[in-house]
């Protein structure tokens, strides 16, 4: 008796698996069919089910991508602009027309509810290569602004002309991801000597170097 | 400790410039009080340049306003000048440390293979300067020796890090980056950073100074260094290498006959074997003193002597000769 039951069960599974290939049935619907037959689940190799279902899911996933709406080219950041173009852009007339002599963050205003802005800016403006916010930060909103140690004109806008410190994101409104990139790029540029800065005074004790001198 | 790592080659073997190496005797000349005094005079302290706003990223304080009598103002001015002189302290010029002749303290063959790495012992007693701190290295083969320059730099940086100095050697001192900086005339920045980064007896520091000073000399960028702490070192470098003519020419151009005299005095002290070393300066006869140098020692005689008579006349006729 149990043998015939098993046989029926296996046939059922075969039939079912064929169904899976042809139709796109979700993983969640699988156990229902089996439960109905009251077959011992122990004799069904679970791996087979999962592998099949995975194939189904993958197929579904690819189909979804095809169905996706076309991305607004203004929000598409999947192919970033090379640095050379960014450097040329910062020296160009178009940039001058857009920003004038002010730094790029000057006229950016953060969106927030209530009177006070949250302490930190948002984690990132760009998710999986597409702008995911209505008010992207001053660097994310312009696709021609690329942070790089050689892009000195851009980096210098984020260094205070008053005391030479790196400006806070509270002031510039840059998102956390871009701010970290900025810190790294400025450090690299300083290390390479592309950005000059003042160094603290080092006092020498001449006695250390020449004992007889006063 | 990763002391087995060697310095990048290009940093050590920077192109050998045809400049004189600093020996103990030249270093002694630099520390002579009269030389120090002359170098300080040549620096021509400009208070507005010395006390310009420094940007270290510090919090700024609002300025203080006071009502003072004329006497008090004079007193404060003097104090400010004294502070400026302290700021003009020149980085010492000392011979480079020779890493090939390290002192061996003991050679204990019993310790051979005690470990696979070197052991570094540093004296971190309070109040000892970086230059004099005792640092020794025990090699895996049992040799106990003095630490070399790189090891000293790393140990000093770990225990007593200096503000502005980094553990790793900055990329800006690589040959191409340094050349780009020189072309941008950022001499003061290069020299300041080199002074904070390295000890004065470091071979790398000497290489950087040689490259920068040679560039300044070739491009007549003396004005960039005037009224900074490095101008004295520049003058000493020029005098030591017998290439003071460009600076002298500039001094004469700008009607700074006094500076020309001081410059030649430094040259005489540094080069006691030169022909003009015996010529004594008599007060009020500056032009003759300079003339004697041009006749006896200058390598650019024709340019200098061609220029000099007109300068001579101008000064005595009281006509202001415009620079350049």
């Amino acid at each position: 008796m149990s043998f015939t039951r098993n046989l029926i069960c296996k046939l059922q599974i075969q039939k079912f698996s064929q169904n899976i290939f042809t139709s796109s049935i979700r993983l969640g619907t699988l156990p229902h069919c089996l439960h109905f037959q009251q077959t011992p689940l122990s004799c069904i190799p679970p791996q087979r089910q999962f592998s099949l279902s995975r194939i189904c899911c993958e197929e579904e996933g690819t189909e979804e991508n095809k169905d996706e709406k076309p991305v607004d080219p203004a929000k598409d950041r999947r192919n970033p602009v090379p640095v050379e173009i960014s450097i040329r852009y910062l020296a160009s007339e178009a940039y001058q027309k857009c920003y004038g002599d002010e730094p790029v963050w000057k006229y950016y205003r953060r969106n927030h509810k209530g009177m006070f802005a949250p302490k930190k800016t948002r984690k990132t403006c760009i998710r999986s290569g597409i702008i995911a916010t209505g008010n992207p930060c001053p660097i994310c909103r312009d696709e021609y602004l690329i942070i790089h140690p050689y892009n000195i004109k851009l980096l210098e806008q984020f260094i205070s002309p008053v005391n030479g410190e790196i400006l806070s994101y509270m002031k510039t409104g840059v998102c956390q991801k871009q701010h970290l990139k900025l810190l790294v790029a400025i450090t690299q540029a300083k290390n390479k000597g592309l950005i000059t800065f003042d160094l603290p005074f080092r006092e020498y004790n001449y006695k250390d170097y020449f004992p007889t001198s006063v | 400790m990763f002391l087995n790592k060697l310095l990048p080659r290009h940093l050590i073997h920077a192109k050998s410039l045809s400049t004189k190496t600093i020996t103990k005797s030249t270093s002694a000349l630099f520390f002579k009080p009269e030389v120090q005094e002359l170098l300080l005079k040549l620096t021509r302290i400009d208070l507005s340049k010395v006390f310009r706003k420094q940007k270290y990223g510090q919090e700024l304080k609002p300025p203080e306003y006071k009502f003072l009598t004329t006497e008090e103002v004079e007193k404060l001015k003097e104090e400010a000048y004294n502070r400026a002189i302290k700021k003009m302290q020149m980085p010492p010029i000392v011979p480079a440390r020779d890493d090939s002749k390290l002192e061996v303290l003991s050679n204990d063959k019993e310790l051979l293979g005690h470990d696979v790495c070197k052991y570094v012992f540093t004296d971190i007693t309070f109040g000892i300067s970086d230059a004099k701190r005792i640092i020794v290295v025990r090699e895996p083969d049992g040799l106990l020796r003095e630490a070399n320059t790189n090891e000293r730099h790393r140990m000093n940086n770990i225990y007593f890090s200096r503000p502005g100095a980094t553990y790793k050697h900055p990329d800006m001192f690589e040959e191409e980056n340094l050349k780009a900086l020189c072309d941008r005339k950022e001499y003061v920045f290069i020299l300041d950073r080199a002074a904070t980064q390295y000890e004065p007896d470091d071979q790398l520091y000497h290489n950087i100074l040689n490259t920068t000073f040679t560039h300044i000399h070739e491009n007549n960028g003396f004005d960039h260094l005037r009224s900074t702490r490095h101008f004295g070192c520049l003058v000493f470098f020029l005098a030591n290498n017998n290439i003071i003519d460009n600076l002298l020419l500039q001094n004469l151009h700008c009607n700074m006959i006094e500076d020309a005299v001081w410059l030649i005095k430094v040259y005489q002290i540094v080069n006691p074997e030169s022909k003009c070393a015996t010529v004594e300066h008599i007060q009020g006869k500056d032009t003759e003193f300079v003339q004697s140098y041009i006749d006896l020692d200058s390598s650019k005689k024709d340019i200098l002597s061609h220029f000099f008579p007109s300068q001579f006349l101008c000064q005595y006729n009281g006509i202001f000769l415009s620079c350049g």
Side-chain angles (χ1 to χ4, degrees):
Chain A
M1 195 58 193
S2 66
F3 173 74
T4 47
R5 240 191 219 175
N6 269 347
L7 197 79
I8 293 162
C9 176
K10 274 181 183 171
L11 283 171
Q12 283 276 339
I13 291 163
Q14 272 183 0
K15 206 178 172 187
F16 177 69
S17 59
Q18 276 172 357
N19 273 344
I20 286 178
F21 271 118
T22 49
S23 68
S24 55
I25 283 176
R26 279 170 191 274
L27 183 66
T29 55
L30 265 173
H32 285 286
C33 325
L34 295 170
H35 182 70
F36 191 72
Q37 295 291 326
Q38 286 187 343
T39 46
L41 282 169
S42 57
C43 42
I44 307 163
Q47 287 177 348
R48 204 172 159 204
Q49 275 185 4
F50 277 110
S51 65
L52 285 172
S53 60
R54 202 169 68 203
I55 290 163
C56 294
C57 287
E58 276 171 10
E59 278 175 356
E60 263 187 318
T62 47
E63 274 168 23
E64 265 180 12
N65 270 344
K66 278 173 195 167
D67 295 338
E68 209 174 73
K69 287 173 202 168
V71 182
D72 180 7
K75 289 188 172 183
D76 193 359
R77 295 294 139 81
R78 283 175 294 195
N79 302 318
V81 176
V83 194
E84 293 81 10
I85 292 178
S86 178
I87 292 168
R88 265 195 289 147
Y89 168 62
L90 274 139
S92 71
E93 218 173 276
Y95 173 84
Q96 197 64 28
K97 213 173 173 184
C98 196
Y99 295 98
D101 294 326
E102 304 289 357
V104 290
W105 47 265
K106 178 82 181 186
Y107 295 110
Y108 175 77
R109 286 290 167 272
R110 283 171 70 189
N111 270 350
H112 55 85
K113 72 174 182 186
M115 273 168 74
F116 306 105
K119 269 187 187 172
K120 273 196 172 181
T121 49
R122 75 170 69 82
K123 221 172 191 178
T124 175
C125 306
I126 299 166
R127 291 181 198 277
S128 58
I130 294 153
I131 286 185
T133 166
N135 186 27
C137 77
I139 290 174
C140 293
R141 68 181 172 185
D142 191 339
E143 61 179 315
Y144 288 101
L145 299 179
I146 301 293
I147 294 172
H148 192 274
Y150 282 95
N151 203 351
I152 302 156
K153 269 196 175 178
L154 181 62
L155 296 186
E156 275 175 349
Q157 298 181 4
F158 292 87
I159 295 173
S160 165
V162 181
N163 63 356
E165 65 177 356
I166 299 171
L167 292 171
S168 159
Y169 48 77
M170 285 287 279
K171 180 153 189 167
T172 59
V174 172
C175 71
Q176 294 296 311
K177 208 170 183 178
Q178 298 287 5
H179 188 71
L180 182 67
K181 272 194 198 172
L182 255 179
L183 297 183
V184 172
I186 290 175
T187 316
Q188 283 173 339
K190 281 183 175 176
N191 187 31
K192 283 185 179 166
L194 301 168
I195 294 176
T196 55
F197 51 96
D198 286 327
L199 285 141
F201 182 77
R202 180 180 177 185
E203 201 182 344
Y204 293 97
N205 188 0
Y206 274 10
K207 281 176 192 169
D208 292 340
Y209 300 100
F210 199 78
T212 51
S213 71
V214 184
Chain B
M1 294 293 132
F2 304 99
L3 291 173
N4 290 322
K5 262 191 204 168
L6 284 173
L7 272 178
R9 279 280 165 111
H10 52 270
L11 279 174
I12 299 174
H13 301 289
K15 61 171 180 182
S16 54
L17 298 152
S18 57
T19 47
K20 277 187 196 171
T21 47
I22 307 290
T23 58
K24 267 193 176 177
S25 52
T26 36
S27 174
L29 286 173
F30 174 77
F31 286 109
K32 259 189 177 180
E34 64 236 53
V35 175
Q36 287 281 320
E37 200 184 319
L38 282 170
L39 294 179
L40 187 67
K41 274 187 199 166
L42 275 164
T43 305
R44 289 275 180 193
I45 295 173
D46 172 12
L47 290 183
S48 62
K49 202 174 171 185
V50 177
F51 294 116
R52 74 174 215 286
K53 199 165 64 183
Q54 298 275 331
K55 296 167 184 176
Y56 311 127
Q58 78 281 34
E59 252 183 58
L60 295 175
K61 287 171 193 163
E64 262 182 65
Y65 296 95
K66 281 179 188 171
F67 282 108
L68 295 172
T69 59
T70 323
E71 280 171 22
E72 283 170 328
V73 170
E74 289 300 318
K75 205 181 161 191
L76 278 181
K77 270 187 184 173
E78 207 186 312
E79 274 176 27
Y81 193 76
N82 287 337
R83 267 189 291 137
I85 287 175
K86 276 192 180 174
K87 277 203 146 193
M88 287 299 102
Q89 188 200 36
M90 282 163 267
I93 292 176
V94 286
R97 186 183 281 269
D98 192 359
D99 280 347
S100 59
K101 291 176 196 163
L102 294 173
E103 194 191 336
V104 175
L105 300 169
S106 80
N107 199 353
D108 306 313
K109 287 293 171 198
E110 312 89 72
L111 287 173
L112 177 77
H114 69 286
D115 207 333
V116 287
C117 58
K118 296 174 190 175
Y119 281 29
V120 183
F121 302 95
T122 314
D123 179 11
I124 53 168
T125 319
F126 177 76
I128 301 175
S129 70
D130 283 5
K132 285 194 166 180
R133 183 164 295 119
I134 295 167
I135 300 172
V136 292
V137 177
R138 173 78 76 182
E139 299 267 2
D141 62 355
L143 185 78
L144 185 70
R145 62 164 173 84
E146 242 184 335
N148 63 29
T149 319
N150 188 25
E151 286 159 350
R152 287 191 71 87
H153 168 76
R154 298 170 80 147
M155 288 302 117
N156 281 330
N157 203 292
I158 285 170
Y159 293 113
F160 303 93
S161 51
R162 207 180 303 124
T166 54
Y167 183 74
K168 279 190 175 179
H169 296 268
D171 287 347
M172 63 173 269
F173 295 126
E174 279 174 30
E175 207 174 316
E176 46 191 278
N177 291 341
L178 193 63
K179 197 168 173 289
L181 272 169
C182 279
D183 292 340
R184 274 158 50 202
K185 315 256 175 199
E186 301 279 8
Y187 303 123
V188 183
F189 174 64
I190 298 171
L191 295 170
D192 272 343
R193 189 141 195 214
T196 37
Q197 178 70 27
Y198 301 111
E199 281 293 317
D201 59 356
D202 199 326
Q203 184 59 50
L204 296 175
Y205 180 67
H206 283 243
N207 290 346
I208 294 161
L209 285 201
N210 286 348
T211 321
T212 319
F213 287 160
T214 317
H215 196 276
I216 293 171
H217 170 248
E218 282 163 3
N219 296 288
N220 277 331
F222 305 109
D223 275 345
H224 291 272
L225 286 203
R226 205 161 263 135
S227 189
T228 67
R229 65 191 308 197
H230 305 289
F231 192 77
C233 297
L234 171 69
V235 171
F236 192 82
F237 170 85
L238 296 177
N240 191 28
N241 289 293
N242 296 339
I243 43 172
I244 59 166
D245 290 348
N246 282 3
L247 182 56
L248 189 69
L249 194 66
Q250 204 213 26
N251 280 340
L252 295 178
H253 257 295
C254 299
N255 244 3
M256 303 198 297
I257 193 103
E258 222 177 4
D259 289 44
V261 171
W262 293 331
L263 177 63
I264 292 166
K265 276 185 180 174
V266 173
Y267 175 81
Q268 284 181 342
I269 297 169
V270 177
N271 298 295
E273 290 130 31
S274 62
K275 284 175 204 162
C276 77
T278 48
V279 181
E280 266 187 48
H281 175 237
I282 305 156
Q283 279 233 327
K285 295 197 171 180
D286 294 345
T287 45
E288 282 144 36
F289 183 65
V290 177
Q291 189 74 56
S292 70
Y293 163 77
I294 293 168
D295 291 341
L296 292 170
D297 268 336
S298 173
S299 56
K300 289 185 178 176
K301 250 173 227 171
D302 42 340
I303 308 170
L304 281 167
S305 55
H306 171 74
F307 179 77
F308 201 67
S310 63
Q311 178 71 35
F312 181 79
L313 282 175
C314 286
Q315 222 191 13
Y316 281 81
N317 293 340
I319 301 164
F320 180 71
L321 190 81
S322 63
C323 298

